[in-house]
Amino acid sequence: MAITDFPAEIRALRAQYQSIEQVSDVEGIRKDIEELSEEAGAPDLWDDPAAAQKVTSKLSHRQSALERLETLQSRIDDLEVLVELGEDEADADSLAEAERELVVLGKALDDLEIVTLLAGEWDEREAVVTIRSGAGGVDAADFAEMLLRMYLRWAERHGYATAILDTSYAEEAGLKSATFEVKAPYAFGTLSVEAGTHRLVRISPFDNQGRRQTSFAAVEVIPLIEQTDVIEVPDNDIRVDVFRSSGPGGQSVNTTDSAVRLTHLPTGVVVSMQNEKSQIQNRAAAMRVLQSRLLLLKKEQEDAEKKAFAGDVKASWGDQMRSYVLNPYQMVKDLRTNHEVGNTSAVFDGEIDDFIDAGIRWRTDNRNDVQEN
């Protein structure tokens, strides 16, 4: 049995921790916690429950991140002390415990390192996931329902809140499609590597001849883009023209310049209002209409961004990113990362962290390769 080189292993742990600490910006996390704590302590916080939920969720996430970093640093220090005591006293039990802690700490640092790779523009957002059945008939619909349960169980294991937004059931069994939210910071960055075509191979429970069936389902993951009730419009972005209101056939409505035309310079949106009796009233009414139009324009732009994130996933032969094989052997294999496991039941019960971690590393490596080329 090989003797563990504890000093070298501990040095490696410290080096990995320091690298994570630098990327994580510990001082920035502490500053965020201070600012968010002030917001959370405001007496009127819960006047807007949605905004309050975001503040408290973000605060909890930042506090957890800081606690995780500080705890790991403390555990590395404790491990070093345990090794010193075990070696000084030739205590085999202490050294065996140190061996186990070395493995656990290595895994914890690897997991934390994954979080530092979620640095994309939208990665920290909550996620909206859509699953659609593809080729394979009723088996594909059943597979879509299996995937829905898999992701909901994954979220449940992590304590992430979810909300089903839309469900379309197939005629015989399973789902045509389902859409749900994962309400957790970095849910999009984490789950975005799950987007693509998933393939299932099994003996069909819907085939009375017991034949093997291949079916497909598509997974789309987009960031939850926040909606606002009011669009703030800076005065510098608006040109205001006033003119005299007129009625049908050129009849004068009044003899003052009470009508208002607002032009939003960045977008070219124009709103005119002359129904009110005063210029102030017409301007206020025009601003409400302008804000509504800008909100609609923003939504259309966000929908275009969502479509770009979702991509074109066909859910059929030739473009699958992961295979779930239940017959003639049992295996789940990601075709991008080559990560595979034999315990298919555990995967369908939500144990997919290793696939997600491998996918995030694979995506990061591919991005780096593109940048270098």
Side-chain angles (χ1 to χ4, degrees):
M1 180 177 176
I3 299 176
T4 301
D5 185 349
F6 282 110
E9 295 288 351
I10 292 174
R11 282 196 301 272
L13 289 179
R14 289 196 184 281
Q16 186 178 10
Y17 175 83
Q18 289 170 0
S19 175
I20 293 171
E21 187 180 42
Q22 289 175 356
V23 175
S24 300
D25 185 14
V26 175
E27 289 308 312
I29 293 175
R30 290 196 174 101
K31 184 178 179 181
D32 286 346
I33 290 174
E34 183 178 348
E35 293 175 352
L36 289 165
S37 295
E38 290 182 5
E39 291 184 46
D44 60 347
L45 175 69
W46 288 98
D47 290 351
D48 185 345
Q53 182 64 41
K54 289 175 184 176
V55 169
T56 56
S57 177
K58 193 170 184 179
L59 175 60
S60 175
H61 182 268
R62 290 290 189 267
Q63 289 173 330
S64 296
L66 182 61
E67 181 182 2
R68 191 162 55 239
L69 283 163
E70 292 176 341
T71 299
L72 282 172
Q73 185 177 44
S74 177
R75 287 176 65 182
I76 294 173
D77 293 339
D78 292 344
L79 173 62
E80 192 166 34
V81 171
L82 180 62
V83 169
E84 290 175 358
L85 290 174
E87 290 180 339
D88 289 346
E89 299 178 8
D91 185 347
D93 289 341
S94 293
L95 293 177
E97 182 182 347
E99 287 266 15
R100 292 190 293 270
E101 180 67 356
L102 191 64
V103 174
V104 172
L105 278 175
K107 178 64 167 62
L109 286 169
D110 286 344
D111 291 343
L112 189 56
E113 192 173 41
I114 289 295
V115 177
T116 68
L117 300 179
L118 300 179
E121 179 182 0
W122 302 92
D123 282 354
E124 67 177 8
R125 296 292 186 93
E126 297 176 1
V128 179
V129 182
T130 297
I131 301 169
R132 301 193 323 268
S133 62
V138 65
D139 279 279
D142 189 53
F143 182 34
E145 189 168 29
M146 292 166 66
L147 289 178
L148 174 63
R149 181 184 181 278
M150 180 182 79
Y151 289 120
L152 294 179
R153 286 286 292 129
W154 171 82
E156 183 183 337
R157 288 172 179 271
H158 288 275
Y160 299 156
T162 57
I164 303 291
L165 302 179
D166 181 64
T167 305
S168 175
Y169 291 96
E171 292 182 5
E172 186 173 344
L175 301 170
K176 292 180 180 178
S177 66
T179 300
F180 63 96
E181 289 180 350
V182 180
K183 301 179 179 181
Y186 290 92
F188 172 70
T190 303
L191 286 173
S192 56
V193 294
E194 289 293 296
T197 299
H198 297 239
R199 180 181 72 148
L200 174 68
V201 180
R202 65 174 178 178
I203 299 295
S204 173
F206 306 101
D207 188 324
N208 54 19
Q209 299 182 38
R211 290 174 295 190
R212 192 167 63 180
Q213 174 73 31
T214 299
S215 54
F216 299 86
V219 175
E220 296 176 347
V221 185
I222 59 175
L224 182 62
I225 297 178
E226 299 175 357
Q227 297 289 332
T228 56
D229 293 330
V230 177
I231 298 291
E232 295 296 332
V233 185
D235 291 340
N236 292 339
D237 286 351
I238 300 175
R239 186 178 72 238
V240 181
D241 298 308
V242 295
F243 55 95
R244 187 163 296 179
S245 300
S246 61
Q251 179 183 353
S252 176
V253 173
N254 57 48
T255 58
T256 62
D257 292 335
S258 61
V260 175
R261 180 186 299 111
L262 301 183
T263 303
H264 187 243
L265 300 175
T267 62
V269 174
V270 178
V271 175
S272 296
M273 193 65 61
Q274 62 176 342
N275 293 338
E276 303 294 342
K277 293 182 179 180
S278 74
Q279 185 183 122
I280 293 175
Q281 291 173 318
N282 277 324
R283 178 164 179 163
M287 180 59 72
R288 288 195 299 271
V289 173
L290 177 62
Q291 289 176 325
S292 297
R293 290 188 178 177
L294 291 178
L295 184 62
L296 179 61
L297 180 62
K298 180 171 182 283
K299 184 179 185 302
E300 291 172 351
Q301 292 171 341
E302 290 171 350
D303 288 342
E305 290 176 351
K306 290 178 180 180
K307 185 175 181 181
F309 276 115
D312 182 18
V313 184
K314 296 181 173 59
S316 59
W317 283 103
D319 60 346
Q320 61 266 21
M321 45 77 76
R322 185 176 302 154
S323 290
Y324 305 74
V325 181
L326 305 184
N327 183 274
Y329 52 87
Q330 296 209 349
M331 178 190 70
V332 179
K333 180 175 182 178
D334 194 290
L335 306 180
R336 304 161 303 175
T337 66
N338 289 321
H339 180 73
E340 63 178 75
V341 299
N343 190 345
T344 58
S345 296
V347 170
F348 281 119
D349 197 40
E351 292 186 16
I352 57 173
D353 282 322
D354 288 345
F355 285 99
I356 291 174
D357 292 353
I360 292 172
R361 292 185 186 279
W362 170 83
R363 179 177 62 191
T364 302
D365 290 342
N366 280 353
R367 284 175 178 171
N368 293 338
D369 289 343
V370 170
Q371 291 172 355
E372 290 173 2
N373 293 332

